[in-house]
Amino acid sequence: MTGLQYMSGFGNEHVSEDPRCPGALPEGQNNPQVCPYGLYAEQLSGSAFTCPRPTNKRSWLYRILPSVCHKPFKPLEEGHLTHDWDEIEPDPNQLRWKPFEIPKAPQNKMDFVSGLHTLCGAGEPRGRNGIAVHIFVCNTSMIDRCLYNSDGDFLIVPQQGKLLITTEFGKMLVEPNEICVIQQGMRFSVEVFGETRGYILEVYGAHFELPDLGPIGANGLANPRDFLVPVAWYEDRQVPGGYTVISKYQGKLFAAQQDPSIFTVLTAKTTRAGVALADFVIFPPRWGVANNTFRPPYYHRNCMSEFMGLIKGHYEAKEEGFQPGGGSLHSMMTPHGPDADCFEKASKAKLEPERVADGTMAFMFESSLSLAVTKWGLQTSNRLDKNYYKCWEPLKSHFNPKYK
């Protein structure tokens, strides 16, 4: 397919912008007080903040609206997608499968998400350790909906039919005899051109990387240059019926309509350098002095789970609703960030040295584990704020393609 552009290099630090919006990337900083073209800055973290530099992964995106703008997620029928490895007794015999049947359209339309079938696996996503093998069969494109995987990375291997995959980072065409990796938390949509089939290897808790060369020498196996990354591309459109965001979270599917670890006090380490089983973090009174910067916590999707509590005062990013004695949980790759009032004020504020959070003490328990919520927490306590999502609903697009 013509017109698609790529950059090469596995694990490289890439920078690109849509040529329709030259100068969209801020110069010399990630999070300016006001982004070019009226965009919102958002970080997607693929590793713990404190990982050593070689394994520290994050991307900055500049969006027309932050990903936190969505209605509440509701359960979605996951069909044959599962991580229940005990639903049938183990079988030590040799196993072989005939080609997996692709449903015929238009009698049985099936897109990439509805066509996911789990074949085998081990471990489970909440413990961030394990793998799953899925088969996908589909005959229609994902229309006005996208998927992101909070549980791990997808390595996609098409066997029949090509895939045009639109991601938050751009578009890429993947054909049989090629592979692609969609990392944890990245939103993507799959367009197909007929009956399509392939395989997926999903890993929980680690990212794919190139193997060490060892005794085979410098020029064996795949080279970093053999891997391609799409260049930035954007669309600005309204979907009358609403655009659907699908989350794969703790092995289940959920659908929603789209409309940082500072001051760590204590940490419980894991066997991976820089990755904590749990951190205890505080947000104490302090000075805000950064120049030309959006000072409140930025919009964020994190590979960690973040539970926050407030001991006293008013938390700077959400002065209303987040109360002492309450709490919040932003699960893995669940978007979060300042409410609409905070964003508008901080974008227009005169940047002078100021005291932040005087009379306030907020804290966070941050973990590399994917946390399950109890029935008491969701139902019995009767304290769940079901209107929390509404604090982001007033966020509006400031996008101006004629920005100079």
Side-chain angles (χ1 to χ4, degrees):
M1 182 172 292
T2 60
L4 297 183
Q5 296 181 318
Y6 302 94
M7 301 170 288
S8 67
F10 187 96
N12 282 9
E13 293 282 332
H14 294 289
V15 176
S16 70
E17 57 188 23
D18 191 305
R20 292 172 290 175
C21 293
L25 296 179
E27 294 186 7
Q29 62 180 141
N30 298 318
N31 189 31
Q33 184 181 20
V34 177
C35 293
Y37 294 95
L39 298 172
Y40 289 82
E42 179 172 314
Q43 185 179 107
L44 176 60
S45 295
S47 66
F49 289 136
T50 49
C51 276
R53 182 177 289 269
T55 57
N56 202 306
K57 305 296 181 185
R58 82 282 182 266
S59 296
W60 280 95
L61 303 123
Y62 299 91
R63 306 172 57 98
I64 295 174
L65 279 173
S67 60
V68 75
C69 292
H70 63 78
K71 301 292 186 182
F73 280 98
K74 298 180 180 179
L76 180 69
E77 174 60 44
E78 55 257 9
H80 296 283
L81 188 69
T82 185
H83 67 283
D84 181 4
W85 314 123
D86 297 320
E87 63 180 351
I88 194 168
E89 291 297 313
D91 185 346
N93 293 297
Q94 297 90 344
L95 303 175
R96 182 170 67 181
W97 288 269
K98 297 177 181 179
F100 297 95
E101 294 184 350
I102 307 172
K104 301 294 182 181
Q107 296 89 347
N108 187 10
K109 287 188 175 182
M110 186 172 288
D111 67 11
F112 180 85
V113 175
S114 56
L116 288 171
H117 299 69
T118 305
L119 192 63
C120 59
E124 62 93 28
R126 280 178 296 188
R128 312 296 298 131
N129 184 30
I131 68 167
V133 175
H134 311 285
I135 304 297
F136 68 88
V137 290
C138 50
N139 54 35
T140 191
S141 300
M142 294 173 64
I143 305 297
D144 294 333
R145 65 181 197 160
C146 68
L147 169 70
Y148 71 92
N149 185 359
S150 299
D151 297 333
D153 290 4
F154 275 161
L155 190 156
I156 302 174
V157 186
Q159 180 269 325
Q160 176 179 319
K162 57 188 177 183
L163 311 175
L164 179 60
I165 303 178
T166 300
T167 76
E168 295 178 272
F169 296 82
K171 294 187 173 188
M172 55 185 174
L173 184 68
V174 188
E175 302 189 57
N177 285 336
E178 297 178 331
I179 64 172
C180 79
V181 174
I182 305 291
Q183 292 182 311
Q184 181 189 19
M186 294 181 181
R187 299 182 176 190
F188 68 100
S189 182
V190 178
E191 182 179 349
V192 299
F193 306 90
E195 295 183 356
T196 307
R197 177 173 56 210
Y199 312 88
I200 297 175
L201 172 61
E202 180 182 14
V203 294
Y204 313 135
H207 293 301
F208 290 102
E209 57 186 62
L210 294 179
D212 293 329
L213 294 170
I216 64 176
N219 301 306
L221 301 178
N223 294 298
R225 68 171 181 268
D226 297 327
F227 294 84
L228 302 176
V229 177
V231 300
W233 178 88
Y234 80 89
E235 62 178 353
D236 182 17
R237 64 186 177 98
Q238 297 293 322
V239 180
Y243 189 88
T244 300
V245 178
I246 301 171
S247 169
K248 180 181 179 293
Y249 175 71
Q250 295 189 5
K252 305 290 185 180
L253 294 182
F254 299 84
Q257 294 297 304
Q258 180 81 41
D259 231 29
S261 289
I262 61 172
F263 307 126
T264 300
V265 180
L266 294 172
T267 183
K269 297 180 179 179
T270 65
T271 56
R272 287 181 290 156
V275 180
L277 177 67
D279 278 335
F280 174 58
V281 178
I282 63 170
F283 301 86
R286 58 199 182 275
W287 280 97
V289 296
N291 192 34
N292 193 28
T293 298
F294 184 77
R295 290 179 177 176
Y298 44 76
Y299 294 100
H300 192 206
R301 285 171 287 164
N302 197 355
C303 63
M304 311 284 275
S305 298
E306 301 180 7
F307 177 87
M308 282 196 66
L310 186 61
I311 298 172
K312 61 178 182 177
H314 301 275
Y315 182 55
E316 61 202 271
K318 296 181 186 69
E319 294 190 0
E320 301 294 333
F322 187 47
Q323 302 173 20
S328 68
L329 175 64
H330 298 138
S331 300
M332 287 183 175
M333 293 304 168
T334 297
H336 52 281
D339 61 24
D341 185 58
C342 176
F343 177 83
E344 295 296 333
K345 288 181 179 179
S347 297
K348 301 172 183 176
K350 185 177 181 179
L351 294 182
E352 298 177 330
E354 62 176 341
R355 291 289 295 170
V356 178
D358 274 342
T360 294
M361 181 58 73
F363 70 90
M364 180 190 294
F365 301 146
E366 185 177 61
S367 175
S368 59
L369 303 184
S370 185
L371 306 181
V373 183
T374 65
K375 182 179 179 180
W376 181 87
L378 290 176
Q379 299 176 5
T380 310
S381 68
N382 199 32
R383 302 306 298 158
L384 186 66
D385 182 0
K386 296 182 179 180
N387 293 318
Y388 181 27
Y389 72 95
K390 292 183 179 180
C391 75
W392 294 293
E393 281 194 332
L395 285 167
K396 58 186 179 181
S397 170
H398 297 281
F399 178 58
N400 178 10
K402 297 180 181 180
Y403 169 86
K404 296 294 182 182

